Amino acid sequence: VKLIDKTLKRFKINQLSSVLRNVEVLGKVIKIYEVKNFKTPKREGRIVSFLFGDETGTTRVVVWDEKLINKIENGLFKEGDTLLIKSGYVKENNGVKEIHLGSLAEIEVNPEGEKIENVSSKLEIQKKKIKDLKENDFAKIEGTIVQVFRPSFFEACPECGKRLELVGDKFSCKEHGFVNEVLIPVLTFFLDDGTENIRVVCFRENAEKLIGLRREELEKIKQDYEIFEPIREKLLGMQVGVVGKV
């Protein structure tokens, strides 16, 4: 009886099943999310995730291995790169299939002779009521904006988009050294769908879209928050749909 099959098998994203182990998948990086800390009664550590797609669909990749997380933090790959993921396993999270990478997993960046022509935008996203949301869900919700807070800002690298450190009177990026900073907005609001309400945090382009100002105009709000008051009044009562991770 063959109990364990260690042979790598390549799959397209639309072929993924929650019973699969030791899978190999070729795709492109669509979006990289920030590293998160987690703590459960049994373990604690860090995870990082990114959206990943091929010609057949899009999925979320969750990385648990600390060595891989360190490499990703240090720029192992960027959005738009082609990745060959090896020795991943598939899990189903609230009906959505995800690729998970543990200590045995490998990532090959822009492998020679491999390419993805077109990436499908099809992503399995469940629409949920706020009262039914659970931690780590990737879901869509719709509701009314009932409270809006003043936006906050942070300085980011124009090359890689990572948060900068203030060194003396200049901003420095770990990867690109001293750079001319780009101002990144963070907008927080409460969304209510009649079943419950939830705090929503929008970064970068999503925050800019709601604020309605170009990036170069955001400095005015940072210097004078009274400018934001009519924008806040306009947002209150607006009905929006948001897609993200809980």
Side-chain angles (χ1 to χ4, degrees), residues 170-185:
K170 294 183 179 180
F171 286 100
S172 176
C173 172
K174 291 181 179 179
E175 184 176 349
H176 298 99
F178 289 105
V179 294
N180 293 320
E181 71 276 10
V182 174
L183 199 63
I184 302 297

Side-chain angles (χ1 to χ4, degrees), residues 145 147-149 187-191 198-200 202 210 242:
I145 297 177
Q147 189 173 4
V148 184
F149 299 93
L187 182 66
T188 303
F189 60 89
F190 271 88
L191 194 67
I198 192 169
R199 189 169 75 104
V200 180
C202 296
L210 284 171
V242 299

